[in-house]
Amino acid sequence: MMIRAYIPRYRQVEGEGGRAHYVYVVEVCYIGRVHKLEKRYSAFHSLYKELRKVYATAEFPPKLLRNTSTKALETRRAGLEHWLHSALLIQPCPQPLLTFLQVQNYQPPIPQCEESISPSHQPILVYPRDPYIAPHTCCPTPHICSTPHSCPGTPHSHPHLPSTITKGVLTALYDQSFCMPA
């Protein structure tokens, strides 16, 4: 089972002492369920410091922001999401990351099972000619015939099998005396 995490947005919240700060809304998808978390940048940064001691991780967005403009915050959000995606690629998934994302009962994927689940199908049986019409002496394989419309092996010119659908469509479209039954 794979874990997927996204940071779709951020929001400003009032902190202790009336100081406002930003939290990033993290959506975690695991076992067909989605749960949402709100994490501050400092929580991401402490996780980054813990993981980089053991694993090679992607570049982390800078800690300091010159201003809290929408563009700067959006750039940081995208950077955090990119870093989180790269951290989730580490196999086996680190326990601090699972704790951060509040994922319980994590089962790492088994490589043999993933390969056996890959889609495979039976070969497709193709008929070069209609199997219910006997082959004709002029052209045993109608699709190779040099003059397909004059060959009696083609369904269009076979006297015993008229094209009922084509005849019905042409009659409905072009026959002025045709009237649909009520």
Side-chain angles (χ1 to χ4, degrees), residues 40-132:
R40 291 183 69 168
Y41 176 86
S42 58
F44 280 99
H45 194 259
S46 60
L47 176 66
Y48 165 71
K49 288 192 302 187
E50 188 174 346
L51 290 181
R52 78 173 179 190
K53 293 176 187 175
V54 182
Y55 304 100
T57 61
E59 186 178 336
F60 197 74
K63 186 174 184 175
L64 296 176
L65 285 177
R66 295 181 192 263
N67 59 12
T68 55
S69 69
T70 306
K71 185 176 180 180
L73 289 168
E74 183 59 31
T75 304
R76 181 185 266 185
R77 183 209 60 80
L80 287 173
E81 186 174 65
H82 174 71
W83 179 82
L84 190 57
H85 288 170
S86 67
L88 284 169
L89 293 176
I90 299 172
Q91 291 299 325
C93 197
Q95 187 58 44
L97 182 59
L98 296 174
T99 305
F100 178 81
L101 296 175
Q102 297 177 0
V103 173
Q104 289 93 17
N105 304 325
Y106 175 70
Q107 298 294 322
I110 301 171
Q112 306 94 330
C113 290
E114 288 180 354
E115 291 173 9
S116 66
I117 295 174
S118 67
S120 62
H121 58 80
Q122 295 295 322
I124 299 172
L125 184 60
V126 178
Y127 293 101
R129 60 177 183 77
D130 191 340
Y132 298 105

